Amino acid sequence: MIKSKPIRMCISCRKREPQKELVRLQNCDGKMVTYQGRGRSFYLCRECLHKEHVEKKIAKIAKVDLKSAEELIKELRSNGKN
Ligand SMILES: [Zn+2]
């Protein structure tokens, strides 16, 4: 039997991808953080993670502080595995 993979949408480009291909983030009191296991989350595809000015776009859509978005994106980019 084939298990269906959960598909999620990238908040930035709206492309649909298997959940494991996306980076899961959330808005924690107005700051963008990686998913903490509870609360509302959103997803970002790896392609968008490396796009210029993606921080600004996400900050606007997810209503998070731009500075926190910039810092987290920078951290995720330098993670290597992305
Ligand atoms: Zn995307």
Side-chain angles (χ1 to χ4, degrees):
M1 200 176 116
I2 301 161
K3 275 189 186 173
S4 61
K5 289 177 188 159
I7 303 293
R8 297 291 181 268
M9 191 178 74
C10 169
I11 191 175
S12 180
C13 67
R14 302 176 72 85
K15 187 170 69 179
R16 288 168 197 279
E17 292 241 41
Q19 189 174 352
K20 64 178 176 65
E21 301 297 325
L22 302 162
V23 182
R24 194 171 192 178
L25 305 166
Q26 81 173 96
N27 177 342
C28 182
D29 298 324
K31 301 238 185 281
M32 193 171 87
V33 295
T34 49
Y35 185 55
Q36 304 293 301
R38 55 192 284 270
R40 291 186 63 181
S41 62
F42 53 91
Y43 295 87
L44 184 69
C45 73
R46 279 153 210 272
E47 215 174 289
C48 286
L49 177 64
H50 294 278
K51 273 181 194 164
E52 234 184 316
H53 307 307
V54 70
E55 306 90 333
K56 287 191 180 96
K57 193 171 177 181
I58 304 172
K60 201 175 170 186
I61 303 169
K63 299 182 173 66
V64 292
D65 174 62
L66 178 59
K67 187 107 181 95
S68 71
E70 283 172 347
E71 281 169 9
L72 186 63
I73 292 291
K74 201 173 148 190
E75 195 186 308
L76 290 170
R77 280 174 178 165
S78 63
N79 240 338
K81 61 184 176 185
N82 291 308

